[in-house]
Amino acid sequence: MAGLLSPATRERIRAASDIVDIIGSYLPLKKAGANFTALCPFHKEKTPSFNVNAQKQIFHCFGCNKGGDVFEFIKEYENIGFMDAVRRLAERARIPLEFENSTGAQESRHLKDQLLDIHEQLTQRWQNCLASEAAGQLAREYLAQRGVSADAIKLFRLGAAPESWDDTVNWARSKKFDLATVEKAGVIIAKETGASPSVDDGTSAPSATRYYDRFRGRLMFPICDEQGRVVGFSGRVLVGDEKTAKYVNSPETPIFTKSKIFFGLDKSKRPILDAGCAIICEGQLDLIACFMSGVQNIVAPQGTAFTEQHARILKRYANEVVLCFDSDNAGQNAAVRALDHLLTSGLAVRVAVMPAPHDPDSFIKANGGAAFQKLIAAADGFFDYYLSRLCATHDLASDKGRLAVLRAMSESVHKTGNGVLIDTYAQKTALRLGVSAESVRTEFKKHSAPSAASRETDEESFESAEPAAALARPSPAEFHLLKLLLQHEDLARWAARHLDVNWIAHAPVRHLVDLRLAAQEHETWHSLADFLDACESAEQRSLITEAVANDREMPNPETQLADVALKLRNQFFDRQIAALTQKISQPETADAEKVRLLQEQQSLKLQKRLPLAET
């Protein structure tokens, strides 16, 4: 798909996405001379080292050395792939992509834009109802009773749907929305009326379509995608009998798939990345209470069980999850069911058990955010939790109860494919059942060996834990050469005539200078942005952005280039002379070879004395 993105379209998207505006929507940027600075979002720091260059349209952090263009920032900050970053910027700039130019794709994109517009405007409509209309009084009272603050209402854009069968229908008509499209948004429902007789010939005319509101008399929670766009709703009933569903959620639509959406992820993804851990709770009010108490690395599946897609989404942001479901049986059973998908994605799993009869919201109201944070920090590993739950729900004094615990633990722990974990929990299970560890191991072995997928996940987790090797820095002269060539495009012509890239010892810098001089020779240099695009290595991109991030004026750049080129040449000769000296000193070197090496050494010493233009 990346191949379908033409350079022209990529440049249009880049031109429409000013890097200061884009990064400024994520970080508080401060003006610093010609550039902007901020605390780096990619590592913890107290003094700003994150630099945004408006003229060059690049960013660079002098602390962690991350750098790149606007596409790279979105890719790194959102923890998504390159094409997803392109799509987000293209959507923001309303620029269609080539592979979306077919009639069907254009129609689909147009429909999605309409649905997003309907959701956004309806969110505002229900926000206003909650804030100031008589129809929002019950919702206001309910939120006050639940202790939901005004700041939380504003941040999560809560609203109220009036108790009416046609409020949304009439609102949509007033906004000139096509009702069939509003139905596709999932906020109204079509009802076919009976056929009416024809006046002319007595035949039946086609049945008419009437619409009524899906959400009536409910507290409304807008559901956002990862970009913060409203794509669906969840409505909590405020009055009604036992037959009335407590929650009504949007149906599946072209912009809303329940199995791929978390409530709150648009706000919590950065805290999750920073913590390396995601807390999973059940409900919207639980999440809001946690978030507002300072526990912000939290999400809630939306109107469906935890799915494989949910696990894959979380894996982009974290390596560990803490399940924090309600203390009742339904909540605890949901925690157990989530295990398979979490293990398949390679996520470590812990479980925080709410003291009965609490859920996270009521626990925080009663004990405070700090107590909740302690409960999360003390959460047991999944298999310790599961063993305790099995022992509490089965009669360990009976053979039937002991066999049930043994079977369930064996089936569960074998899903990890990890021999150490299997043996550890064989021993723990034996201790809880009061039997020998060897007998439990024997029973555990009757289960099948771990799948290839499990072993691969385990190996990948082990490999990902290996620390990355530190990359060597270029010498000051080599880095200064790169700065000169990238900040002063007119110097490339002189460098192409006088500079030999073999003089550069640092391989990434040598490669970049070689590319820059080749572009000069073949007249293919267009811009720094194109040069960045051509670099596949993160280290090379970092070197480029570091070289141009601080573009303070250099006095006499032509003289500086000549000086640094001469220095690099002489350092290259010095390395060759040192290598020859080492060969000459070897006992196995023949006398004739020593004479030749000495002559070569002398020639290099003479060349060092010559001006650069004469070498």
Side-chain angles (χ1 to χ4, degrees):
M1 192 174 289
L4 297 174
L5 184 68
S6 71
T9 301
R10 184 166 174 161
E11 194 51 45
R12 277 186 66 204
I13 297 168
R14 193 201 314 276
S17 306
D18 179 73
I19 197 166
V20 175
D21 290 342
I22 298 296
I23 296 181
S25 68
Y26 290 90
L27 309 174
L29 295 176
K30 292 184 178 179
K31 197 85 165 65
N35 297 337
F36 295 82
T37 62
L39 291 174
C40 180
F42 305 121
H43 78 287
K44 294 185 184 298
E45 62 178 8
K46 295 181 179 179
T47 302
S49 57
F50 184 84
N51 189 289
V52 182
N53 187 306
Q55 181 183 359
K56 304 290 186 183
Q57 288 291 296
I58 55 96
F59 74 92
H60 184 84
C61 175
F62 291 94
C64 66
N65 284 322
K66 279 192 183 294
D69 59 7
V70 69
F71 298 110
E72 187 70 13
F73 177 82
I74 295 296
K75 177 172 167 287
E76 290 290 331
Y77 191 92
E78 298 285 4
N79 202 30
I80 56 179
F82 171 74
M83 282 309 301
D84 286 331
V86 169
R87 282 193 189 89
R88 293 199 180 181
L89 290 171
E91 287 176 359
R92 182 181 184 276
R94 299 190 177 277
I95 295 173
L97 303 176
E98 285 91 336
F99 43 86
E100 295 179 346
N101 277 343
S102 67
T103 302
Q106 287 179 343
E107 290 175 354
S108 175
R109 181 70 263 165
H110 179 63
L111 174 60
K112 288 180 179 179
D113 286 343
Q114 287 181 305
L115 299 185
L116 288 169
D117 188 29
I118 291 168
H119 278 80
E120 174 56 32
Q121 292 202 42
L122 190 53
T123 297
Q124 296 176 24
R125 153 77 188 123
W126 284 335
Q127 281 182 287
N128 291 334
C129 179
L130 176 64
S132 58
E133 295 180 19
Q137 182 62 31
L138 275 177
R140 290 194 290 273
E141 291 174 357
Y142 176 80
L143 290 170
Q145 175 193 343
R146 294 295 298 262
V148 180
S149 68
D151 287 342
I153 292 170
K154 181 179 179 181
L155 179 63
F156 287 90
R157 305 188 67 188
L158 305 189
E163 181 64 72
S164 168
W165 288 91
D166 58 2
D167 184 83
T168 302
V169 172
N170 293 333
W171 168 85
R173 286 196 177 106
S174 73
K175 293 290 184 178
K176 309 300 182 186
F177 286 125
D178 173 57
L179 292 185
T181 303
V182 180
E183 182 195 1
K184 290 178 182 176
V187 295
I188 62 174
I189 300 171
K191 180 180 181 181
E192 298 292 334
T193 61
S196 57
S198 169
V199 175
D200 297 327
D201 57 9
T203 59
S204 295
S207 59
T209 301
R210 297 186 64 185
Y211 297 94
Y212 63 94
D213 294 1
R214 180 181 298 275
F215 301 100
R216 305 180 302 279
R218 290 179 180 266
L219 172 65
M220 299 306 300
F221 298 86
I223 304 162
C224 299
D225 63 12
E226 291 177 58
Q227 295 172 252
R229 302 176 302 185
V230 181
V231 295
F233 296 101
S234 181
R236 194 198 190 283
V237 70
L238 296 171
V239 292
D241 56 29
E242 293 180 357
K243 296 180 180 179
T244 304
K246 182 183 283 189
Y247 281 92
V248 170
N249 298 311
S250 290
E252 303 263 318
T253 71
I255 61 172
F256 179 57
T257 304
K258 293 178 185 178
S259 62
K260 298 179 181 179
I261 290 284
F262 281 109
F263 179 74
L265 183 58
D266 59 307
K267 298 171 182 64
S268 64
K269 59 189 176 184
R270 195 68 227 172
I272 291 172
L273 270 171
D274 291 341
C277 172
I279 303 165
I280 305 174
C281 67
E282 285 190 89
Q284 291 99 342
L285 288 171
D286 287 336
L287 183 142
I288 291 171
C290 294
F291 197 92
M292 301 308 291
S293 74
V295 183
Q296 298 187 340
N297 55 320
I298 187 163
V299 293
Q302 182 51 54
T304 185
F306 192 88
T307 67
E308 183 179 354
Q309 290 96 326
H310 284 136
R312 283 203 297 264
I313 291 168
L314 287 184
K315 182 61 178 172
R316 298 208 314 262
Y317 298 98
N319 294 315
E320 180 186 51
V321 299
V322 178
L323 301 173
C324 187
F325 293 166
D326 291 351
S327 57
D328 58 19
N329 278 333
Q332 297 306 294
N333 289 337
V336 174
R337 287 194 301 271
L339 175 69
D340 287 3
H341 298 314
L342 292 167
L343 288 180
T344 300
S345 295
L347 286 158
V349 187
R350 292 189 291 134
V351 181
V353 179
M354 292 288 103
H358 284 302
D359 56 26
D361 179 34
S362 64
F363 182 87
I364 288 172
K365 296 291 193 301
N367 301 284
F372 182 77
Q373 286 178 319
K374 288 181 181 178
L375 188 146
I376 294 297
D380 284 336
F382 177 85
F383 295 107
D384 287 314
Y385 153 80
Y386 191 42
L387 180 57
S388 295
R389 176 166 168 76
L390 289 171
C391 291
T393 54
H394 291 86
D395 180 10
L396 300 188
S398 70
D399 291 340
K400 180 181 178 181
R402 287 193 295 272
L403 286 172
V405 172
L406 182 65
R407 186 180 306 111
M409 276 303 296
S410 181
E411 289 175 353
S412 181
V413 78
H414 268 87
K415 292 173 182 176
T416 68
N418 185 304
V420 174
L421 275 177
I422 292 169
D423 189 67
T424 297
Y425 285 96
Q427 295 180 59
K428 289 187 176 185
T429 303
L431 187 63
R432 295 294 289 268
L433 297 180
V435 298
S436 72
E438 193 57 41
S439 64
V440 175
R441 287 192 188 98
T442 301
E443 289 301 310
F444 273 24
K445 285 177 182 177
K446 292 178 181 179
H447 288 79
S448 59
S451 66
S454 297
R455 287 193 298 271
E456 286 171 9
T457 299
D458 209 41
E459 290 166 6
E460 287 171 7
S461 299
F462 177 77
E463 289 170 5
S464 65
E466 292 294 320
L471 297 170
R473 289 282 300 168
S475 71
E478 291 169 330
F479 188 69
H480 192 53
L481 171 68
L482 187 64
K483 285 174 67 80
L484 287 163
L485 292 178
L486 293 180
Q487 292 192 19
H488 299 275
E489 297 179 6
D490 55 321
L491 297 183
R493 184 177 294 104
W494 184 94
R497 293 197 309 268
H498 296 85
L499 186 72
D500 185 339
V501 295
N502 291 314
W503 297 345
I504 303 169
H506 191 266
V509 172
R510 183 170 63 247
H511 179 69
L512 290 174
V513 172
D514 195 27
L515 287 176
R516 177 66 188 93
L517 298 185
Q520 178 66 32
E521 182 181 351
H522 299 108
E523 298 183 352
T524 55
W525 174 268
H526 298 295
S527 67
L528 180 67
D530 287 336
F531 193 63
L532 263 175
D533 288 346
C535 295
E536 297 180 358
S537 161
E539 183 188 6
Q540 290 173 1
R541 286 194 297 271
S542 176
L543 284 168
I544 292 170
T545 55
E546 183 183 356
V548 301
N550 192 340
D551 55 359
R552 288 195 294 267
E553 186 175 345
M554 299 181 186
N556 304 314
E558 296 85 358
T559 303
Q560 289 191 43
L561 178 59
D563 290 344
V564 77
L566 181 63
K567 185 173 184 178
L568 289 172
R569 184 204 68 174
N570 290 345
Q571 288 175 346
F572 173 71
F573 286 159
D574 288 340
R575 290 194 296 272
Q576 287 187 310
I577 291 168
L580 290 171
T581 300
Q582 187 177 14
K583 287 182 182 180
I584 292 168
S585 65
Q586 297 297 320
E588 62 270 18
T589 305
D591 290 343
E593 178 66 6
K594 286 182 179 179
V595 170
R596 189 189 66 78
L597 294 175
L598 284 167
Q599 290 173 342
E600 187 177 342
Q601 199 177 58
Q602 187 61 30
S603 174
L604 289 171
K605 290 177 179 178
L606 289 172
Q607 289 183 63
K608 272 190 67 176
R609 299 173 189 167
L610 296 174
L612 190 64
E614 298 180 26
T615 59

